[in-house]
Amino acid sequence: MTELPYAAWPPAPIRTERLVLRAPEPRDRPGFVELFSSPEVGTYLGGSRSREECERVLPEIPEQRPGLFVIELDGTMIGTLELNRRPPELRSGTAPNAEEDELGYLLLPETWGHGYAAEACTAALAWFAALRPGESVVLRTQTANTRSMRLATKLGFTEVARYEAWGAKQWMGRMSPVATPA
């Protein structure tokens, strides 16, 4: 993912009622290993990696990328959120020439069902709307991921395409222009 134009990175931590969205830190590495090796997290992402592979390939200091936030609850990483521009090689076939800002998130399974994804996404979208007024954002998920589909609708994304990719049916929604979700 490429840098959000005009953005100083990292921003000050974004605080919500229960969460903090912040840039990754070295102390987050075990959380990244846990996320990427979780079979539940990998269900709609083409599968998980083994814990051994994650330990071997993930850097000791997590990557600092504009738009990559750690989601923290009570001082502990519970997931990640990305809101950034997709480079050409990662753009969808639905709009291959468009520069797309995309929202994506991963949370540890034990945190599912508590509204943390909605809270984190709402905060990140508000940050983005202030940074880039009038810009749209896309969100993609497998159609089989009913939780993610419900959240996309709740956040205000409207379906613009369904397509086949990575061996599964995919859904793409757009929020245009981004407003603070309800």
Side-chain angles (χ1 to χ4, degrees), residues 20-42:
V20 176
L21 277 64
R22 58 171 176 76
E25 299 173 357
R27 67 184 170 112
D28 299 318
R29 187 177 187 276
F32 280 98
V33 170
E34 190 70 26
L35 270 175
F36 298 144
S37 65
S38 167
E40 295 88 357
V41 172

Side-chain angles (χ1 to χ4, degrees), residues 78-133:
I78 63 166
T80 63
L81 182 144
E82 287 199 57
L83 182 48
N84 47 27
R85 181 77 38 107
R86 296 177 66 82
E89 66 273 12
L90 295 177
R91 291 183 193 145
S92 72
T94 60
N97 297 320
E99 288 191 350
E100 302 169 335
D101 291 301
E102 183 168 350
L103 174 67
Y105 55 90
L106 299 174
L107 279 89
L108 292 168
E110 59 268 20
T111 67
W112 296 354
H114 298 283
Y116 299 134
E119 190 172 329
C121 289
T122 298
L125 288 165
W127 166 79
F128 182 84
L131 180 70
R132 307 274 303 280

Side-chain angles (χ1 to χ4, degrees), residues 17-98:
E17 184 179 330
R18 303 176 292 173
L19 306 172
V20 176
L21 277 64
R22 58 171 176 76
E25 299 173 357
R27 67 184 170 112
D28 299 318
R29 187 177 187 276
F32 280 98
V33 170
E34 190 70 26
L35 270 175
F36 298 144
S37 65
S38 167
E40 295 88 357
V41 172
T43 298
Y44 302 109
L45 302 172
S48 60
R49 295 177 172 181
S50 72
R51 179 171 293 283
E52 296 76 24
E53 179 186 3
C54 288
E55 290 285 359
R56 188 179 70 252
V57 300
L58 291 175
E60 287 299 318
I61 298 174
E63 184 177 359
Q64 292 282 324
R65 260 190 339 263
L68 173 62
F69 293 95
V70 161
I71 304 169
E72 180 182 288
L73 173 68
D74 298 329
T76 302
M77 177 185 170
I78 63 166
T80 63
L81 182 144
E82 287 199 57
L83 182 48
N84 47 27
R85 181 77 38 107
R86 296 177 66 82
E89 66 273 12
L90 295 177
R91 291 183 193 145
S92 72
T94 60
N97 297 320

